[in-house]
Amino acid sequence: MNRKCLIPALLVILSVCSLTGCAPREKTLLLPDLYTLDPESEDPATGEDFTVKKIYTYSYETSPALDQSASLKGCGEHEVSVIANEENTDGQMPLLRQVDYRYGFYDTSGQSKTPWEEPQKVLHPIFWRLWSPYEASEEGEADAGEDLLYEIEKMLLSPDGKKMLVYARAESWDNYFVWFYDFETQTPYTLYQGAPPKEGEAKGAFSPSGRWVSFDTTGSLHQKLILLYDCRKDRLDEGEESFVSIDEFSSFYPPDDTLPIVEAASQLIWETGLFDRSGQAGLLTVIQEYDKSVLAIESYSLPPDDPELAYTENSYYLYGTPESMPYFRYALDVKSNHVYYLYDVSRMWSTDLTHGTSGIKTDFSHAVLDFLRLDSGDCLLLCTQDANAYNIKATVNLTNPDPFTLQKEWDISSVDLYLYSAEDESERLLYKDLRNVIRMEYDETTRRILVETSGDGTLKRRQCVILEL
């Protein structure tokens, strides 16, 4: 069966530019019958629904502080949303850009969905100063705290790519801010201001639906409650008088819901994340106890109209404790209430969080660095045949690095994208030789796979590889 693939023709362009003197510019050309998958993947029995029909790429620059910068959620059939820098700018506010990638857009050729405008009334001067050159104010002209230099620590994007959390720390002394920013309205909201985390960093998370967000899922800032905010709710900026104090130094914006911090979370936290359940937000916390056993703690609020309990908590030890792994990769199936996780680079286990029973063990034929579990039970796998992957040991650390860091840490040159079929336990190659992979996403509505990579290994230069099925 013939395939068509859209690929960058950089070598051709560079050779032409060497003769004409023009600046190199990436294009996308249609080269029929050039790309074919592995013969094994041609067999319809291995998963006809995941036949890759076309492959596109889109390159751009963005802020290296972003954990992810692209999304397919809520986009049109051939569109992708990216958070990208404007042309010839560095350090300024990235913009939400929604582009049709079929025409080979490169950098700012795509139209920004909401061109940035200088706010007429500056309600959050510290936030806006992050994106523009700072000039020291004359003595007495600045409000308290405005004369400090702040540095962006990290930026966390929502699943639909339209909102983000921004964390910033003062360079001169311990002052910490967390903002919630809406790209479409270009409106920031201060969620937290005060003392920074005592150890490590505050870990934020959005729920998979994008409805709920928490800027601190480990309790490093509040230390008693997990503060939850409804992203669909319209908010009024009422100023600092509406904030709730934690102590004399720190305060937070009133949340829409809260969850108590689990007592066991004072031990070594492997991972935390939000999930959606009956319109409410839930929290999954995975910790390692002092005896090295691994415990999954599921806590969530029940719907407001539930006549029994307003809050519930389940905790079960994970079978096949992943002691041999220096990181934890998991997926929570809310319908069956099973958590799936990598035991080592070639095995996956699952645990039923309702009854505490062990699930089915899955064996893979390749070393798996990361996986994405689909609603069908199938999985997208980032695999490598690099021998370094099989030598990964828990002696390195347990800071739970992302796939991009893993590839650099263990000098893994490239990874391949596979589909694992739960029905017949087969593995099907979808794309080979991906480099510096940051994350992957599957959009069931448009049946597309997005793999976000780093073009130069620095997280500033990004590329989206989009597989249309």
Side-chain angles (χ1 to χ4, degrees), residues 213-230:
V213 65
S214 173
F215 63 82
D216 182 23
T217 58
T218 63
S220 62
L221 295 173
H222 192 285
Q223 299 179 358
K224 292 182 179 180
L225 294 173
I226 306 298
L227 309 176
L228 302 168
Y229 298 88
D230 189 343

Side-chain angles (χ1 to χ4, degrees), residues 70-336:
S71 176
L72 297 175
K73 191 177 181 65
C75 294
E77 185 177 2
H78 302 291
E79 290 183 333
V80 60
S81 292
V82 297
I83 306 301
N85 293 339
E86 278 286 36
E87 189 174 8
N88 299 324
T89 62
D90 190 13
Q92 293 190 6
M93 167 62 78
L95 302 180
L96 172 61
R97 182 177 300 148
Q98 195 158 320
V99 295
D100 189 322
Y101 49 75
R102 291 174 296 175
Y103 303 105
F105 286 140
Y106 179 75
D107 276 350
T108 56
S109 298
Q111 293 296 316
S112 298
K113 189 173 183 181
T114 52
W116 186 80
E117 296 180 1
E118 185 77 25
Q120 295 181 355
K121 184 179 180 181
V122 180
L123 296 177
H124 301 269
I126 296 176
F127 177 84
W128 293 114
R129 190 171 294 155
L130 297 172
W131 318 104
S132 60
Y134 172 76
E135 296 181 2
S137 303
E138 295 184 6
E139 185 176 357
E141 287 188 358
D143 294 335
E146 289 187 24
D147 56 343
L148 298 175
L149 289 174
Y150 285 82
E151 182 179 358
I152 296 176
E153 188 172 82
K154 61 179 177 179
M155 297 153 65
L156 179 66
L157 198 66
S158 63
D160 62 2
K162 297 178 181 179
K163 300 174 177 63
M164 72 174 174
L165 292 177
V166 179
Y167 297 75
R169 186 190 298 258
E171 292 182 337
S172 57
W173 62 295
D174 285 342
N175 197 28
Y176 200 74
F177 273 86
V178 184
W179 291 278
F180 176 79
Y181 181 73
D182 189 318
F183 277 100
E184 292 189 314
T185 63
Q186 298 179 350
T187 305
Y189 300 94
T190 304
L191 296 185
Y192 174 86
Q193 54 188 6
K198 293 183 179 180
E199 296 181 4
E201 61 180 24
K203 178 178 174 58
F206 286 86
S207 66
S209 69
R211 177 173 181 178
W212 296 96
V213 65
S214 173
F215 63 82
D216 182 23
T217 58
T218 63
S220 62
L221 295 173
H222 192 285
Q223 299 179 358
K224 292 182 179 180
L225 294 173
I226 306 298
L227 309 176
L228 302 168
Y229 298 88
D230 189 343
C231 298
R232 300 176 185 174
K233 184 177 179 180
D234 293 331
R235 302 184 185 279
L236 297 176
D237 198 322
E238 300 176 356
E240 293 188 7
E241 62 271 12
S242 65
F243 275 57
V244 180
S245 297
I246 299 176
D247 50 42
E248 59 179 321
F249 302 107
S250 307
S251 59
F252 60 89
Y253 188 88
D256 300 305
D257 200 357
T258 62
L259 289 172
I261 294 177
V262 294
E263 295 181 3
S266 60
Q267 302 172 52
L268 180 58
I269 297 178
W270 273 17
E271 185 60 275
T272 59
L274 297 183
F275 59 89
D276 299 281
R277 186 188 294 273
S278 302
Q280 302 299 115
L283 177 71
L284 182 68
T285 305
V286 181
I287 66 171
Q288 184 185 50
E289 296 192 319
Y290 299 116
D291 62 356
K292 302 298 183 182
S293 59
V294 178
L295 183 67
I297 305 169
E298 184 185 47
S299 54
Y300 53 91
S301 297
L302 297 176
D305 55 352
D306 193 296
E308 298 180 0
L309 298 174
Y311 169 79
T312 187
E313 180 180 305
N314 298 321
S315 60
Y316 290 102
Y317 290 102
L318 298 185
Y319 283 80
T321 303
E323 295 180 359
S324 61
M325 296 288 280
Y327 61 96
F328 185 73
R329 288 289 175 269
Y330 81 96
L332 177 64
D333 186 336
V334 176
K335 292 181 179 179
S336 64

